[in-house]
Amino acid sequence: IHPNFQANFLAVVPSKTTPILLYCLIGKRSAGLGTALIDQLGYENVCHLTSGIQGWKKDGYKTVKYK
């Protein structure tokens, strides 16, 4: 994990037990980041959308546009 990302992430999520949900377009990048957060930084409660936001939408779940 890049040191700048690590510093910014630790400032926002200081507790290793905080639940973290990651997502990306298809699930590949969020899986890699989740593994790194667990293996390199010791976070304990990390999960991700396996099929990404595309899979979420395909399964009929709604999204909200970012403003």
Side-chain angles (χ1 to χ4, degrees), residues 1 5 9 20-23 27-50:
I1 293 182
F5 174 85
F9 191 82
I20 299 168
L21 172 63
L22 304 170
Y23 70 92
K28 187 174 180 180
R29 288 172 291 167
S30 60
L33 178 57
T35 299
L37 290 174
I38 293 167
D39 292 347
Q40 295 178 32
L41 299 183
Y43 281 86
E44 301 171 7
N45 196 1
V46 180
C47 59
H48 79 107
L49 293 179
T50 304

Side-chain angles (χ1 to χ4, degrees):
I1 293 182
H2 191 280
N4 288 340
F5 174 85
Q6 182 175 342
N8 289 331
F9 191 82
L10 290 172
V12 177
V13 190
S15 172
K16 304 291 184 181
T17 59
T18 299
I20 299 168
L21 172 63
L22 304 170
Y23 70 92
C24 64
L25 189 63
I26 63 171
K28 187 174 180 180
R29 288 172 291 167
S30 60
L33 178 57
T35 299
L37 290 174
I38 293 167
D39 292 347
Q40 295 178 32
L41 299 183
Y43 281 86
E44 301 171 7
N45 196 1
V46 180
C47 59
H48 79 107
L49 293 179
T50 304
S51 299
I53 199 69
Q54 282 185 344
W56 177 267
K57 289 178 174 181
K58 183 180 176 187
D59 289 343
Y61 296 107
K62 295 184 180 192
T63 61
V64 177
K65 290 192 178 210
Y66 178 76
K67 295 181 182 182

